[in-house]
Amino acid sequence: MKLITIVGARPQFIKAAPFSDVFRRRHVEIMIHTGQHYDQNMSDIFFRELSIPKPDYCLGVGSGSHGAQTGRMLEKIEQVLLNEKPDGVLVYGDTNSTLAGALVAGKLHIPIFHVEAGLRSYNKRMPEEQNRILTDHLSDLLFCPTKTAVENLKKEGITEGVLLTGDIMVDAVNRFSSISNRFYSNGVWLDVLKAENPSIPSLKEKEYYLATVHRAENTDDLKKLETIFAAFEKLDKPVLVPLHPRTKKSVDKLDISFKNTIVIKPVGYLLMLYLTKNAHMVVTDSGGLQKEAFLLQTPCTTLRDQTEWVETLENGWNCLCPIHIQAIIETTSRKLDCLNCPRPQVFGDGNAAHRICEAIIKNSS
């Protein structure tokens, strides 16, 4: 069969790697990269590192408002689908690329397959939440990473085409974490960081916080953003922050002198895995990084009031935190009893890519 896969942002490149490896053994996959993430460190490096086949179409959509960006994607994706006439369209996650792909495929009556279906934060102010809901209601096959996701869909009346496959991110972490450790252990990780960021001080494993901030609810509100970075300055260990390009534009507007906060350029997935595994704690507003921290047995503090990954909250592996300086300090300095607790295996056994592939092929036969 001929399948079109649509990607456009860092988490989707990572999830695409294990699926493409399985699917392309017997079938044809054509990959569209919308260009939603276009910075070299946010895009190209992932295709090289993870050995993902080069995209067949690079749409070069770039940044812009949600309406403008999604509109450009709709137009360009439609032309590709009309030319290629695929048997199905596969979309990942909850980005504008996800929604645009689903909308075009739906209008053209092409089956839609949604990986990471059923996630809900129940906060419709999040663009990602809107994208998830709309994509799920358009999809023919909905691949759920957890039982919670299946239940979320059931509440909305979606029961047909729903499959509990486990989380494809487990496939990716299992596949790449050993490679990451081989590449970056014995101090190589710090040498690589210093080569890209000459002013970075020496750091020790488990003696730093790893932080990312990129959600619009935090980056577009300068008061919130200033609060987050002010809190970082007061933490008991250095805070290493690979800075998302959009966040950097906002941070540059702030009048903060960084002493405890170490801002670096975005890094590739393999190095990010190593930094996550060897951090004392992850502090983030990212959905994907919460889960990666959990899988790598690193405690996490999430700078949000809700999470799609409610399973990570069990035993305190992850804690939600409001955007207040004292709350951030107290949550990050909490006693880490989770390190002495069993970590529940709620995201599957690492064979999601095979299950997804088999279901798509069965659906098309």
Side-chain angles (χ1 to χ4, degrees), residues 72-121:
R72 290 195 295 270
M73 289 179 188
L74 290 170
E75 183 177 6
K76 294 187 176 187
I77 292 171
E78 182 180 56
Q79 192 57 56
V80 175
L81 297 192
L82 287 171
N83 290 341
E84 292 288 350
K85 299 178 174 57
D87 300 305
V89 170
L90 180 72
V91 293
Y92 291 92
D94 54 22
T95 68
N96 288 343
S97 300
T98 309
L99 178 59
L103 284 170
V104 174
K107 295 285 187 180
L108 296 177
H109 308 293
I110 299 170
I112 303 161
F113 313 130
H114 186 201
V115 176
E116 214 172 71
L119 298 187
R120 296 292 183 269
S121 67

Side-chain angles (χ1 to χ4, degrees), residues 158-188:
I158 303 175
T159 55
E160 290 189 17
V162 176
L163 293 96
L164 176 60
T165 59
D167 197 323
I168 200 166
M169 188 62 80
V170 179
D171 300 36
V173 170
N174 288 350
R175 179 175 177 176
F176 295 115
S177 58
S178 59
I179 300 172
S180 168
N181 190 61
R182 192 163 65 244
F183 278 8
Y184 293 110
S185 60
N186 299 319
V188 174

Side-chain angles (χ1 to χ4, degrees), residues 68-320:
Q69 186 184 67
T70 307
R72 290 195 295 270
M73 289 179 188
L74 290 170
E75 183 177 6
K76 294 187 176 187
I77 292 171
E78 182 180 56
Q79 192 57 56
V80 175
L81 297 192
L82 287 171
N83 290 341
E84 292 288 350
K85 299 178 174 57
D87 300 305
V89 170
L90 180 72
V91 293
Y92 291 92
D94 54 22
T95 68
N96 288 343
S97 300
T98 309
L99 178 59
L103 284 170
V104 174
K107 295 285 187 180
L108 296 177
H109 308 293
I110 299 170
I112 303 161
F113 313 130
H114 186 201
V115 176
E116 214 172 71
L119 298 187
R120 296 292 183 269
S121 67
Y122 295 100
N123 177 7
K124 288 189 179 180
R125 292 183 63 84
M126 291 174 59
E128 296 87 352
E129 184 78 353
Q130 298 173 27
N131 292 343
R132 291 176 198 131
I133 293 170
L134 292 169
T135 301
D136 282 341
H137 281 264
L138 286 167
S139 295
D140 297 273
L141 290 180
L142 300 99
F143 302 119
C144 295
T146 64
K147 293 179 181 178
T148 303
V150 173
E151 289 302 312
N152 290 340
L153 293 174
K154 188 176 180 180
K155 291 174 187 175
E156 296 174 19
I158 303 175
T159 55
E160 290 189 17
V162 176
L163 293 96
L164 176 60
T165 59
D167 197 323
I168 200 166
M169 188 62 80
V170 179
D171 300 36
V173 170
N174 288 350
R175 179 175 177 176
F176 295 115
S177 58
S178 59
I179 300 172
S180 168
N181 190 61
R182 192 163 65 244
F183 278 8
Y184 293 110
S185 60
N186 299 319
V188 174
W189 65 282
L190 190 56
D191 293 337
V192 171
L193 288 181
K194 285 186 173 183
E196 281 284 310
N197 310 270
S199 62
I200 188 174
S202 291
L203 297 169
K204 294 182 179 180
E205 293 173 354
K206 300 299 180 181
E207 292 296 324
Y208 64 88
Y209 294 94
L210 178 66
T212 68
V213 185
H214 78 273
R215 288 199 181 271
E217 62 194 81
N218 289 328
T219 60
D220 293 351
D221 185 330
L222 290 183
K223 186 170 288 187
K224 275 189 175 182
L225 193 62
E226 186 171 30
T227 297
I228 290 168
F229 279 91
F232 288 172
E233 286 298 298
K234 294 179 179 292
L235 298 188
D236 60 331
K237 293 176 178 62
V239 184
L240 187 63
V241 188
L243 204 57
H244 190 286
R246 187 179 70 236
T247 307
K248 187 178 187 309
K249 292 178 182 178
S250 298
V251 169
D252 288 345
K253 299 174 185 177
L254 304 178
D255 184 22
I256 295 179
S257 177
F258 295 137
K259 295 179 181 177
N260 195 51
T261 305
I262 305 164
V263 174
I264 61 172
K265 297 175 183 178
V267 299
Y269 183 59
L270 293 181
L271 180 51
M272 194 64 178
L273 274 180
Y274 192 88
L275 294 176
T276 302
K277 184 176 181 178
N278 291 286
H280 167 71
M281 179 182 289
V282 165
V283 185
T284 188
D285 60 8
S286 162
L289 189 53
Q290 293 174 54
K291 185 174 52 178
E292 286 166 339
F294 180 86
L295 295 174
L296 294 167
Q297 301 186 54
T298 300
C300 181
T301 292
T302 296
L303 301 172
R304 289 164 52 190
D305 296 324
Q306 63 281 129
T307 178
E308 311 81 31
W309 302 108
V310 294
E311 297 84 358
T312 64
L313 302 175
E314 189 171 337
N315 292 334
W317 282 99
N318 185 14
C319 285
L320 300 176

